[in-house]
C-alpha cells in the first residue's frame, strides 16, 4: 500500500473513532444522569412516613402485628450489602467500544483502498504515457466502480487516444514533408550537375531550378497556412461575408479554368445569408474544393455548384462527375498529404482539402464528403448564418 492509502485510512479511521466514542460517551452520561434522578427511597435522608391513619390491610395480605409485639424498626433498616446500588451509574461500555473500533478499522481500510487504488492506477498510466506508451487504457471494468473516479479513467483513455493520434499525425506529416521536399531537391541537384557538365544548357537548368524552387516555396506556404489554422492563429473572424456573392465570383473564375477540359460549371440555388468570418479564408476554402473537382472530373462534363439554406446554416455544395472516392477514404481525404489515384498525374501536395476543413471548422462549420449515385464526388460545406441576418429574416 502506498502513502495515499495510509493517509486516507488514518483520516477516515480517526474520524469514525472520534465520532463513535463521542456519541457513546454522550449516551453514557445521559444514562447515568437518568439513573441518579431516581435513587432508592430508603437511602434518601429525611424521608418520613406519610401522615394519617395506617392503611387498611387487604384480605390475604400481611396482617397487623398482634399487641405486645416489638415495634422496633431497626430490623427493617439494614444497610445494603457492599457493592454498587441497584440502578446506579455503571462504567464505560467497553464491549460496544471494541466492536465499534474493529468495524471502524475494516470500513476505513475498505474505503481507503477504494479511493487510492484507481489513483495509483492513474499514476502508473501517466508514467506509461510519459514514456511513449499511448496504448495504455483504464476501462471502467478495470476500475470496478462507476463513479467520478471511473469517469476520470475514461477521460484518461480518450486523452491517451487523442495523444496517440496527434503523435501519429505529426510523424506522418514529418515523413510526408521530407518526401515532398526530397524530390524537388533531387531535381535541383541534377539541374546543377547538368549546368556544370554542359554549360550550353545552363538556361534550361536555371529554368528547372526556378520551377523546383517555386514548388518548394508553395509547399512551405501551404504547410505554414495549415499550421496556423490548426493553432487557431487565423486572425479575427468578425467580418460579415455575403456568401452567395462570394460564391458567384468563385464560379466565374472556375469557369475560365474549366474551359481547358471543356467542362461547364453551373451555379444554382437562391439562398440568402451572411456569415461571420474572413472573406479571403472562405474564398480559399471553396476555391480548393472547386479546383479539386475540376482536376478529377471527366472531360466535357458538368460541375454543379449551389448554395442553400439549411435552418440557421448555409450549405455550399460542389459536385463533379469524376471517379469518386472509395467509401473507406471519404474521411481521410481531408487529412494532409492524402492523394488518391495516381499522385504523379497532378502538381498538388494533398493539402488543399485539409486547409479547407480547417478553415470551415474555424468558422464554426463542418465539411462532409459523399459519393453521388450517378458517379462523382459531392462535397458539402456548412457555415452558420450570423444572428443579425437570422433576426432580419
Amino acid at each position: 500500500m502506498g502513502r495515499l492509502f495510509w493517509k486516507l485510512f488514518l483520516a477516515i479511521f480517526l474520524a469514525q473513532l472520534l465520532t463513535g466514542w463521542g456519541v457513546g460517551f454522550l449516551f453514557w452520561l445521559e444514562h447515568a444522569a437518568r439513573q441518579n434522578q431516581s435513587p432508592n427511597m430508603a437511602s434518601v435522608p429525611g424521608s418520613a412516613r406519610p401522615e394519617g391513619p395506617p392503611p387498611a390491610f387487604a384480605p390475604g395480605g400481611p396482617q397487623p402485628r398482634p399487641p405486645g409485639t416489638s415495634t422496633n424498626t431497626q430490623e427493617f433498616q439494614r444497610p445494603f450489602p457492599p457493592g454498587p446500588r441497584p440502578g446506579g451509574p455503571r462504567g464505560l461500555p467497553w464491549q460496544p467500544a471494541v466492536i465499534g473500533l474493529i468495524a471502524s478499522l475494516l470500513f476505513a481500510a475498505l474505503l481507503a483502498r477504494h479511493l487510492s487504488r484507481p489513483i495509483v492506477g492513474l499514476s502508473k498510466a501517466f508514467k506509461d504515457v510519459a514514456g511513449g506508451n499511448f496504448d495504455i487504457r483504464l476501462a471502467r471494468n478495470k476500475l470496478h466502480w462507476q463513479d467520478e473516479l471511473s469517469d476520470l479513467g475514461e477521460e484518461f483513455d480518450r486523452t491517451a487516444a487523442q495523444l496517440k493520434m496527434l503523435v501519429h499525425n505529426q510523424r506522418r506529416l514529418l515523413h510526408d514533408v521530407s518526401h515532398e521536399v526530397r524530390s524537388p531537391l533531387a531535381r535541383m541537384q541534377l539541374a546543377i550537375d547538368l549546368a556544370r557538365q554542359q554549360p550550353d544548357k545552363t538556361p534550361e537548368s536555371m529554368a528547372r531550378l526556378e520551377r523546383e524552387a517555386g514548388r518548394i516555396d508553395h509547399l512551405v506556404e501551404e504547410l505554414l497556412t495549415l499550421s496556423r489554422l490548426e493553432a487557431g492563429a487565423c486572425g479575427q473572424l468578425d467580418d460579415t461575408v455575403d456568401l452567395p456573392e462570394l460564391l458567384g465570383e468563385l464560379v466565374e473564375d472556375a469557369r475560365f479554368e474549366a474551359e481547358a477540359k471543356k467542362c461547364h460549371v453551373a451555379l444554382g440555388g437562391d439562398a440568402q445569408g451572411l456569415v461571420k468570418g474572413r472573406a479571403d479564408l472562405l474564398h480559399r476554402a471553396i476555391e480548393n474544393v472547386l479546383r479539386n473537382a475540376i482536376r478529377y472530373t471527366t472531360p466535357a462534363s458538368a460541375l454543379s455548384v449551389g448554395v442553400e439554406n439549411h435552418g440557421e446554416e448555409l450549405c455550399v455544395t460542389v459536385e463533379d462527375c469524376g471517379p469518386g472516392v472509395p467509401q473507406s477514404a471519404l474521411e481521410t481525404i481531408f487529412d494532409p498529404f492524402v492523394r488518391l489515384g495516381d499522385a504523379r498525374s497532378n502538381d498538388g501536395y494533398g493539402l488543399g482539402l485539409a486547409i479547407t476543413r480547417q478553415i470551415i471548422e474555424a468558422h464554426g462549420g463542418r465539411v462532409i464528403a459523399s459519393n453521388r449515385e450517378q458517379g462523382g464526388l459531392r462535397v458539402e460545406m456548412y457555415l452558420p448564418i450570423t444572428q443579425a441576418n437570422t433576426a432580419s429574416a
Side-chain angles (χ1 to χ4, degrees):
M1 297 297 177
R3 292 173 295 176
L4 179 62
F5 170 82
W6 291 113
K7 289 180 180 179
L8 293 173
F9 172 78
L10 290 177
I12 298 171
F13 172 68
L14 290 177
Q16 289 184 340
L17 186 63
L18 293 176
T19 303
W21 278 66
V23 173
F25 185 71
L26 291 176
F27 274 104
W28 177 78
L29 290 178
E30 183 181 2
H31 178 71
R34 289 180 179 178
Q35 294 297 333
N36 291 331
Q37 289 177 0
S38 57
N40 194 317
M41 295 299 297
S43 62
V44 177
S47 61
R49 302 179 66 179
E51 299 180 356
F57 294 93
Q63 298 300 322
R65 190 179 301 275
T69 307
S70 173
T71 58
N72 188 6
T73 59
Q74 293 181 355
E75 56 180 314
F76 298 102
Q77 296 179 357
R78 296 174 184 173
F80 284 103
R85 291 178 176 271
R90 295 177 296 179
L92 289 173
W94 293 105
Q95 186 175 4
V98 173
I99 295 176
L101 176 63
I102 297 175
S104 298
L105 283 171
L106 294 177
F107 183 78
L110 291 176
L111 186 58
R113 183 175 181 270
H114 163 64
L115 294 175
S116 62
R117 184 177 179 182
I119 298 177
V120 172
L122 281 172
S123 177
K124 294 180 180 178
F126 276 114
K127 290 181 181 178
D128 292 337
V129 171
N133 182 17
F134 299 101
D135 295 325
I136 188 70
R137 295 293 182 271
L138 295 175
R140 184 183 293 269
N141 56 356
K142 290 184 180 180
L143 296 176
H144 302 286
W145 295 92
Q146 297 183 2
D147 51 16
E148 286 78 4
L149 292 175
S150 62
D151 295 339
L152 181 61
E154 292 181 352
E155 291 295 333
F156 172 84
D157 291 346
R158 284 190 285 269
T159 302
Q162 187 71 15
L163 287 174
K164 181 180 179 181
M165 183 182 65
L166 291 175
V167 172
H168 173 72
N169 292 340
Q170 183 182 15
R171 291 174 180 174
R172 190 185 66 180
L173 180 63
L174 181 61
H175 175 269
D176 292 339
V177 169
S178 302
H179 176 74
E180 294 294 341
V181 174
R182 181 183 302 173
S183 297
L185 287 177
R187 290 190 290 266
M188 292 174 69
Q189 186 64 41
L190 290 175
I192 294 173
D193 293 340
L194 181 62
R196 289 176 178 175
Q197 296 175 5
Q198 302 179 7
D200 57 326
K201 295 185 178 180
T202 299
E204 298 178 3
S205 300
M206 293 300 296
R208 169 64 67 177
L209 289 174
E210 290 178 359
R211 287 196 300 270
E212 300 302 335
R215 290 179 179 178
I216 295 177
D217 182 71
H218 178 67
L219 173 61
V220 172
E221 182 184 356
E222 294 284 280
L223 288 173
L224 289 176
T225 301
L226 182 62
S227 177
R228 285 194 296 265
L229 291 171
E230 290 179 346
C234 51
Q236 297 294 330
L237 302 177
D238 52 1
D239 296 336
T240 301
V241 182
D242 189 342
L243 194 60
E245 181 180 352
L246 177 65
L247 190 60
E249 298 175 0
L250 284 167
V251 169
E252 290 297 327
D253 296 337
R255 285 171 179 170
F256 179 77
E257 186 176 350
E259 289 180 358
K261 297 182 67 173
K262 298 181 180 181
C263 296
H264 175 68
V265 181
L267 176 61
D270 55 353
Q272 299 293 328
L274 303 175
V275 298
K276 182 171 291 187
R278 282 179 53 182
D280 56 337
L281 291 179
L282 293 174
H283 184 282
R284 184 169 186 177
I286 302 174
E287 184 182 33
N288 289 341
V289 178
L290 280 172
R291 285 186 173 180
N292 190 74
I294 295 173
R295 179 181 302 163
Y296 288 101
T297 192
T298 56
S301 61
L303 280 77
S304 175
V305 181
V307 55
E308 300 176 352
N309 287 97
H310 285 262
E312 296 184 354
E313 292 180 320
L314 284 177
C315 177
V316 178
T317 306
V318 179
E319 298 178 347
D320 61 53
C321 298
V325 176
Q327 194 69 25
S328 58
L330 286 175
E331 293 294 332
T332 61
I333 61 174
F334 296 103
D335 294 337
F337 295 104
V338 173
R339 290 180 291 179
L340 303 176
D342 189 2
R344 297 171 297 179
S345 62
N346 58 78
D347 300 334
Y349 296 103
L351 296 174
L353 293 182
I355 293 175
T356 294
R357 181 175 64 177
Q358 292 295 332
I359 292 176
I360 297 299
E361 291 180 354
H363 285 76
R366 64 189 189 279
V367 183
I368 301 175
S370 60
N371 288 315
R372 302 172 60 198
E373 295 182 359
Q374 60 272 31
L377 184 67
R378 175 187 177 94
V379 178
E380 298 172 328
M381 292 166 281
Y382 293 87
L383 290 168
I385 302 175
T386 61
Q387 188 66 29
N389 186 73
T390 303
S392 62

